[in-house]
Amino acid sequence: MRISSSALAKSMGLTASQIRQDLSCFGGFGQQGYGYNVQRLRSEVAEILGMNRDHTLLLLGAGNLGRALIENFPFSANGFRLVAAFDVSPSLVGTKLGGVPILHMDALEEFLRENPASVGVLTVPARVAVESARRLCQSGVTGIWNFTNVELPAQELPGVRVENVHFADSLLTLSYMISEEPV
């Protein structure tokens, strides 16, 4: 099965030229007048994004947001294997959410010694966000997906990449789009 840059562009709200330019930055995936082999393109994009590296992930903070991510986000479809979640709530520790064991935060370092993980997801309260990030960093985690609305101090997290998710920014972007841009 093949797809043209025009068809890709239409589905993404871009131009065919932009699709071709963007993909050419990573190599030649298509053929002029013939388009892109869909299976090969998926495979190449997965390689570029690291989706085929079987990243191991754990989540800190299994409250409402953590629970929503565990039960609804397709981690495995995006190349991540969620192996455990950590919390301090007695009502959560020792249970499972979506098949994921919830362990006590006190067990974090020991767990990571025995089960190295590349990514930590932070959905903990703001007051413990920086300390939680430090613990992940000191235990060998190299990426943090941060939902805490706390800016993590990069200088205190050597070798760790952080992706901050700011809900307020996203909501304000939506507000702008519905206020200023015609549909």
Side-chain angles (χ1 to χ4, degrees):
M1 179 179 189
R2 297 212 168 259
I3 189 166
S4 68
S5 56
S6 297
L8 280 171
K10 184 177 180 184
S11 70
M12 298 171 69
L14 301 170
T15 66
S17 175
Q18 187 64 53
I19 294 289
R20 288 190 300 273
Q21 289 174 2
D22 289 351
L23 289 175
S24 72
C25 291
F26 298 102
F29 305 132
Q31 293 176 312
Q32 187 174 359
Y34 196 59
Y36 300 92
N37 175 297
V38 173
Q39 185 174 353
R40 179 170 180 239
L41 184 59
R42 280 185 181 156
S43 175
E44 294 288 347
V45 169
E47 177 66 28
I48 291 164
L49 296 177
M51 293 173 64
N52 56 359
R53 295 186 187 156
D54 192 36
H55 292 292
T56 303
L57 179 139
L58 47 86
L59 184 137
L60 277 59
N64 292 333
L65 180 55
R67 172 185 222 106
L69 287 170
I70 291 169
E71 293 179 340
N72 297 293
F73 189 80
F75 289 105
S76 61
N78 288 285
F80 294 89
R81 190 167 40 95
L82 178 57
V83 295
F86 294 82
D87 205 285
V88 295
S89 172
S91 64
L92 291 173
V93 173
T95 66
K96 287 187 176 186
L97 290 174
V100 177
I102 311 299
L103 308 173
H104 197 280
M105 283 291 290
D106 291 344
L108 178 63
E109 287 82 1
E110 180 182 345
F111 181 88
L112 282 168
R113 275 192 298 277
E114 297 172 10
N115 307 279
S118 51
V119 176
V121 179
L122 286 184
T123 60
V124 296
R127 70 183 183 286
V128 297
V130 173
E131 180 57 31
S132 298
R134 282 188 195 117
R135 290 174 69 185
L136 290 170
C137 176
Q138 291 166 357
S139 296
V141 169
T142 57
I144 296 175
W145 199 20
N146 178 24
F147 286 87
T148 67
N149 281 329
V150 172
E151 287 298 318
L152 301 176
Q155 70 277 10
E156 295 181 38
L157 304 170
V160 175
R161 305 283 185 178
V162 176
E163 178 63 26
N164 293 299
V165 178
H166 294 289
F167 292 115
D169 293 351
S170 182
L171 186 58
L172 291 173
T173 300
L174 178 61
S175 176
Y176 171 76
M177 290 187 314
I178 64 176
S179 299
E180 299 296 325
E181 296 179 7
V183 178

